[in-house]
Amino acid sequence: MTYYVILLMNKNRCIRHSFFLLFCLFSLSVFAEDGRRLWLPNPSEGKADVSGIRGLAMDELRANWQGAPVELKRQKGMPKEGYRITATGGRLQVSATTDVGLLYGAYHLLRLQQTETVGETMDVVEQPAYELRILDHWDNPDGTIERGFSGHSIFWEKPNGEVIRQYARANASIGINGAVLNNVNAKPQTLSSDNLKQVKWIADILRPYGIRVYLSVNFASPIRLGGLPTADPLDKSVIVWWKKKVDEIYRLIPDFGGFLVKANSEGEPGPCDYGRSHAEGANMLAKALKPHKGIVMWRTFVYAPNDPDRAKQAYKEFQPLDGQFLDNVILQVKNGPIDFQPREPYSPLFTSLKSTPVMAELQITQEYLGAANHLTFLAPMWQEFFSLVEPSTLKAVAGVANVGNNVNWCGHHFAQANWYAFGRLAWNPKLTAETIAREWLAQTFTNDRRFVDPMTELMVQSYETVVNYMMPLGLHHQFAGGHHYGPEPWYTAPGIRSDWTPAYYHRADSLGLGFERSSRGTDAVSQYPPSLRDLYDDIHTCPEKYLVWFHHVPWDYKMQSGRTFWDELCHKYDEGVRGARHMLAVWDGMMPYVDSERFSEVQRKLRIQARDAVWWRDACLLYFQTFSHRPIPQDVEHPVHNLDEMMRFRINITNYENPPFGYSR
Ligand code: BDP
C-alpha cells in the first residue's frame, strides 16, 4: 500500500513523504513491542562520551523521568558502587561517591517509576553484595554461541556499536559490571593482536556503563599463538610470553578485568598436561596480571572418564589445593557438583574452600532447561542455591549469558527475565523470586495487576513445573545423545564414556532407581558439612527433591505422601505436564493485557512446552517402567505414546521448534 501512495505524488512531495514513511517505519521498529526494548524505559541518547558516566545518568533521567527534578550529588564515604535515594518535601536526590553509583541510582529511580512504586518520602540505601557481577558469554570467534539459543554473537558477528551499547545499558540497569566476551572453550586467536583491537573497541563502548571486559583464554596459547614448544607454567619463556601478552592488553585496555580459564576439562589444555597443578597454572597467570590489578577466574569444572562418581571430582581435585592460590585468583565453581542440571544440591566446594576466594557460576542460558522454548524462570533455583550457600562466602557471581542477536535478545520473551533476575540477585541475593518476577513483568509488559498477579505466580511456579516434567526427585542427566533438550534415558553408543550416558546417573534396576552416594555408596555425602552430610546420608531424612541424587531408592519405598516411590515418580511427572498446560491456559487469559506480537509468540512457545512435557513424561515413565514392572497409577494421565515410538523419535536440533508429536489440550 505504501508503494502506491508514493507513486501518486509529485517528485518533491514524493521524496518528503518517503522520508516520512521511512521515519515511521524506523520508529515502529524501534518502539514495536517485539522484545528489543527489554525491561528498559525508552532508549536514551547515551551521551557518556561528552560528560562521563554522570552525564549518562542525567541523560537517562532527562529522557525518562517524569517526576520532580532530581539532584545528582557526589557524596564522600559511601560504598564504591552504592547509592542513596532520598525524597522529602518534594526534593528528590540521588547521592553516591562514584559516578557509577549515581548511574545505578538513576536506574533504580526509573525502576520505581516503571513499577509505580515511587514514594512521597523515601530513603533508600543500596550497595551490591558482590564486587564482581559478571556475565560469561560462550561466544565463539566465528559468531556462533555455545549453548546459545538466541542467534549469534553480538560481539563477534557483524558487531553493531549501538546494539552493544543497548546491551551495556541493560546490564547497568541491573548492576552487572563485567562481561567475559568469549567462550570458556577458548580459541588461541582470542589473544591475537588483531582480535585485541576489537576487544578494545568493545571495552570502550561498555566502559561508560561501568562494565569491564574479561577474556577466556586457552592455556596452550603460548604454543598455538606464540609458537613456543611448551605451555608449561613453570617454563621461563612461557612466563615471559604471558607477561608480554598481558602488558599488550593493558596498553589497549587499561581497566581490563582479567582472564577466565577452563583448564584440563573436557579436552582443553591446562597445567596438568605438564604435571603441574591447577594452582601452579593459575598463579602463573595471576602474577602476570597482578601489576595491572587484573584477576584470574579459574574454573573447577573438571571430571575424568571412568571415575566411580563424577559428582565428587571437582572437590577431590581442588579441595586439597585450598590456600595455594595467589590472592588475585578466584575459583569459579558451578552451582552444583555435576553440570547445571535442572536441580542439583549445591557443590560441596562452596563450603570446603576456606582459604581461597570462590565465586559461583550460574547458567542463565537454558542449556538443560528447555533452551529458548520453555518458560523456566530461574530465580527460584538460584534462591534455593543462595539459601544453602551463605552469600557472604562468595567473592563474586558469574552467569552464563543467554544473549544473542535475535530481535528479542534471548530467544524467548520470558528468557529475558532470567538475565534480569541474574543481575538483581548478583546485586542482592536476598531478593525473592516473587519480587523479581513482579518487577520484571511490570517493566516489561504492564503494571496492571490483572496481569502481574497471575503471571508472577506462573513464573515462580514454572521452575518446579519444569523439574517435575523433566527430572523430579533428584534425577539428573537423562538427556538425549547429541543435545540437552529432550529425554533419552536409554541412550548409549558404542565406546562412549559411561559418564556421558543417562544410565550412569539413573542406575535403574529391578530394585529401584537412583545413584547411591550415601556412606553405603560412593560417600559423596561426606564432602558436605556434618549436619548436611547426616541429613543427606539417611534416606529417611534426605529431602525428597534430592532423593535419587543421593540414594538408590526401592520402587516400593514409602514417600512422605504415603505413596510408593514409583507412584510418586508417576505423580511428579504428571504434575509437571499439568503445570505446563496450566501455564498455557493462564497465558491464554492474558490476551487483553499484552500486545498481539508478544502474546502470540509466547503462546506458540508455551504450546511447544506443553507438548515437550508430555514427551518427557512418556519417555521417562515408559522406560523406567521396564525396570519397576509396576502399573502407572489410575489417577495419573497415562502415556499417550508407547516406548517404541519414543525410542524411534529423533529431534532435529537445528530446529528445536519442531515439536516431536502432535498433542492437543
Ligand atoms: C557443559 C556444556 C559445554 C560447556 C561446559 C563447560 O555442555 O558446552 O563447555 O559445560 O561449562 O554444560 O565448560
Side-chain angles (χ1 to χ4, degrees), residues 24 137 180 266 311 339 370 375 498 530 555 606 653:
C24 291
H137 291 268
V180 181
E266 297 187 330
D339 188 8
L375 190 166
S498 70
W555 296 114
L606 285 169
I653 57 152

Side-chain angles (χ1 to χ4, degrees), residues 138 146-147 183-185 262 265-266 299 301 303 310 334 338-341 361 363 367-368 400 477 484:
W138 285 0
E146 178 146 347
R147 313 302 176 185
N183 192 354
V184 284
N185 299 316
K262 170 174 178 176
S265 158
E266 297 187 330
R299 299 176 88 226
F301 178 66
Y303 60 105
R310 175 173 166 184
K334 288 189 184 187
I338 298 235
D339 188 8
F340 297 138
Q341 294 303 293
E361 180 178 316
Q363 196 181 44
E367 176 180 356
Y368 296 98
V400 180
H477 238 312
H484 291 158

Side-chain angles (χ1 to χ4, degrees), residues 79-81 100 104 127-134 175-178 210-212 214 293 295 330 359 391 394-397 426-427 429:
K80 210 165 128 227
E81 296 166 297
V100 75
Y104 290 157
Q127 75 178 84
Y130 305 110
E131 207 180 305
L132 305 173
R133 307 173 297 280
I134 301 179
I176 288 170
N177 67 358
I211 300 167
R212 289 172 136 200
Y214 301 76
K293 302 200 169 62
I295 60 164
I330 311 179
M359 63 193 284
L394 300 175
K395 174 96 177 158
V397 186
W427 181 277

Side-chain angles (χ1 to χ4, degrees), residues 304-358:
N306 309 321
D307 191 279
D309 189 357
R310 175 173 166 184
K312 291 175 70 178
Q313 293 183 54
Y315 177 104
K316 277 200 322 210
E317 197 143 340
F318 282 91
Q319 203 283 326
L321 300 176
D322 193 17
Q324 294 183 24
F325 294 90
L326 292 179
D327 63 1
N328 60 332
V329 178
I330 311 179
L331 290 183
Q332 181 164 316
V333 184
K334 288 189 184 187
N335 59 291
I338 298 235
D339 188 8
F340 297 138
Q341 294 303 293
R343 174 172 271 141
E344 298 192 31
Y346 77 84
S347 163
L349 273 174
F350 289 111
T351 39
S352 61
L353 291 168
K354 305 288 184 200
S355 325
T356 310
V358 187

Side-chain angles (χ1 to χ4, degrees), residues 191 219-223 226 228-248 259 271 274 276 279-292 326:
L191 293 175
F219 201 78
S221 299
I223 304 174
L228 298 185
T230 176
D232 181 345
L234 302 194
D235 183 284
K236 255 228 168 92
S237 62
V238 170
I239 296 170
V240 170
W241 189 88
W242 280 107
K243 188 181 171 322
K244 282 196 176 150
K245 198 35 103 180
V246 167
D247 293 345
E248 178 188 348
F259 292 150
Y274 307 94
R276 315 297 181 195
E280 285 169 312
N283 290 346
M284 182 274 292
L285 294 176
K287 273 189 200 144
L289 288 156
K290 181 95 180 170
H292 306 281
L326 292 179

Side-chain angles (χ1 to χ4, degrees), residues 371-548:
N373 278 351
H374 295 196
L375 190 166
T376 317
F377 183 47
L378 299 177
M381 170 162 82
W382 299 332
Q383 222 186 324
E384 200 168 294
F385 170 76
F386 285 118
S387 74
L388 287 171
V389 175
E390 175 45 45
S392 64
T393 59
L394 300 175
K395 174 96 177 158
V397 186
V400 180
N402 62 353
V403 172
N405 64 5
N406 269 10
V407 170
N408 71 22
W409 300 88
C410 302
H412 189 311
H413 291 288
F414 277 79
Q416 297 178 354
N418 291 330
W419 178 6
Y420 182 87
F422 170 77
R424 298 289 287 131
L425 283 170
W427 181 277
N428 177 4
K430 300 248 151 58
L431 286 176
T432 65
E434 189 194 324
T435 305
I436 298 170
R438 265 182 195 288
E439 272 180 11
W440 178 81
L441 285 164
Q443 293 172 87
T444 308
F445 290 97
T446 165
N447 260 310
D448 194 321
R449 294 201 62 162
R450 288 168 299 179
F451 174 80
V452 175
D453 288 352
M455 286 308 296
T456 300
E457 200 180 320
L458 179 152
M459 286 175 75
V460 171
Q461 287 172 356
S462 65
Y463 170 60
E464 202 63 44
T465 291
V466 175
V467 170
N468 281 338
Y469 67 67
M470 283 189 179
M471 284 168 265
L473 300 171
L475 265 172
H476 49 291
H477 238 312
Q478 298 306 299
F479 294 96
H483 61 82
H484 291 158
Y485 184 70
E488 206 174 330
W490 52 84
Y491 170 71
T492 185
I496 192 173
R497 278 172 68 153
S498 70
D499 57 352
W500 287 354
T501 66
Y504 178 92
Y505 303 96
H506 67 60
R507 312 259 156 149
D509 59 20
S510 62
L511 301 177
L513 181 73
F515 198 131
E516 193 62 54
R517 296 192 169 108
S518 72
S519 50
R520 289 162 302 285
T522 65
D523 201 24
V525 290
S526 68
Q527 296 181 341
Y528 289 90
S531 59
L532 282 179
R533 179 199 58 211
D534 295 347
L535 191 79
Y536 297 158
D537 194 40
D538 182 348
I539 193 172
H540 300 289
T541 57
C542 180
E544 290 190 347
K545 63 184 174 189
Y546 302 141
L547 205 58
V548 301

